[in-house]
Amino acid sequence: MLDDFMTRATLAGIGVAFAAAPLGCFVVWRRMAYFGETTAHAAILGVALSLALQASIFAGTVAVALVMAVTATLLAWRGYTMDTLLGVLAHSSLAFGLVAVSFLSGIRVDLMAYLFGDILAVSRIDLVVIWGGGALVIALIAWRWSALLTSTLNEELACASGLDPRHEQLILTLALAITVAVAIKVVGVLLIVAMLIIPAAAASGLARTPEAMAMIAGAIGAISALAGLRAAYVLDTPAGPSIVCVAAVAFAACSLIERRARLGS
């Protein structure tokens, strides 16, 4: 079954959708979209360093994305304006990564695949990485779900409950770095944040509980992956952007459903 490239692509898309769903909810609740973009842009630098050192691209991407995310968090705690800081780190890390790739001699690098994804070229090993990393992200968030929710809703309540909001922020940072590393092959650096935010935003108006929002976001992400791949096959369009386009249409549809429900009530 895994000999068929469309089957591998479908499994990869579903794996990324399930991993991004619960994390995307926290990105939406905490308004961390720009933070996620900064982490994703740093992935290109991780790819360049991994290729230069002949190391695992997954490990290099996780390491650099984690370092960038932790750096942004620590600098924000020191009083820097978050949006300005993230803007500097996001674009500078992407630029340094692209320049670093240009210095790699004797190594053929398909930048378009890393920027926009190449889900149709996913191998069996890539599937193991995607599903393994996705399972790790889901397990990490499930383990800290209550603590993450409490610190997201009210930091003072979290402190009163004996929780450290900064510790929970670092856990989200780790999960974000892993998600970026597993999703780079599917949708690419420039579209990773879209798969984190759009399904979660679409689910926000349909769900009544945080747990329901995470499950609905996962379903929307998986359906977007399936429909996007089908559209790319039929229309001969890029697979990664097609998946994001379907997710955007799902967001618009969910917004209309929510609006009609409000008017009806």
Side-chain angles (χ1 to χ4, degrees):
M1 182 180 66
L2 294 180
D3 290 336
D4 181 29
F5 73 97
M6 284 299 292
T7 301
R8 295 195 300 270
T10 300
L11 292 174
I14 293 174
V16 169
F18 286 161
L23 181 59
C25 293
F26 284 102
V27 170
V28 170
W29 293 331
R30 288 174 171 255
R31 300 178 181 179
M32 291 173 58
Y34 211 1
F35 189 90
E37 185 176 356
T38 302
T39 307
H41 284 183
I44 286 293
L45 183 57
V47 169
L49 293 177
S50 299
L51 293 175
L53 299 175
Q54 297 182 348
S56 167
I57 291 180
F58 174 78
T61 303
V62 169
V64 174
L66 186 59
V67 167
M68 186 63 65
V70 171
T71 300
T73 302
L74 294 177
L75 289 177
W77 290 346
R78 292 180 178 272
Y80 288 90
T81 304
M82 180 58 85
D83 58 345
T84 302
L85 177 64
L86 292 178
V88 172
L89 291 176
H91 297 95
S92 60
S93 60
L94 179 61
F96 276 113
L98 294 175
V99 170
V101 167
S102 68
F103 282 111
L104 297 177
S105 59
I107 300 177
R108 183 177 177 273
V109 180
D110 185 3
L111 281 178
M112 293 297 291
Y114 290 111
L115 291 176
F116 297 102
D118 192 8
I119 190 173
L120 298 180
V122 168
S123 65
R124 296 187 181 191
I125 296 178
D126 292 329
L127 280 179
V128 173
V129 171
I130 290 170
W131 278 90
L136 181 59
V137 169
I138 292 174
L140 187 62
I141 293 180
W143 171 49
R144 302 297 300 174
W145 180 261
S146 297
L148 288 170
L149 272 180
T150 303
S151 61
T152 297
L153 295 174
N154 193 317
E155 291 190 358
E156 293 182 358
L157 177 61
C159 292
S161 302
L163 301 173
D164 185 355
R166 295 185 176 184
H167 178 259
E168 306 307 323
Q169 173 71 27
L170 290 177
I171 290 177
L172 281 179
T173 298
L174 175 60
L176 186 59
I178 296 173
T179 303
V180 167
V182 301
I184 191 172
K185 185 77 173 182
V186 177
V187 291
V189 168
L190 299 182
L191 300 176
I192 289 173
V193 180
M195 286 305 294
L196 282 169
I197 297 174
I198 296 178
S204 62
L206 304 178
R208 294 176 178 251
T209 64
E211 293 80 6
M213 180 174 167
M215 289 188 288
I216 294 174
I220 292 174
I223 293 172
S224 298
L226 293 172
L229 283 171
R230 179 62 181 173
Y233 181 79
V234 173
L235 302 175
D236 193 23
T237 55
S242 296
I243 292 173
V244 176
C245 286
V246 173
V249 172
F251 170 76
C254 291
S255 298
L256 289 175
I257 293 172
E258 179 189 4
R259 184 176 180 181
R260 287 190 176 183
R262 287 182 179 180
L263 293 176
S265 61

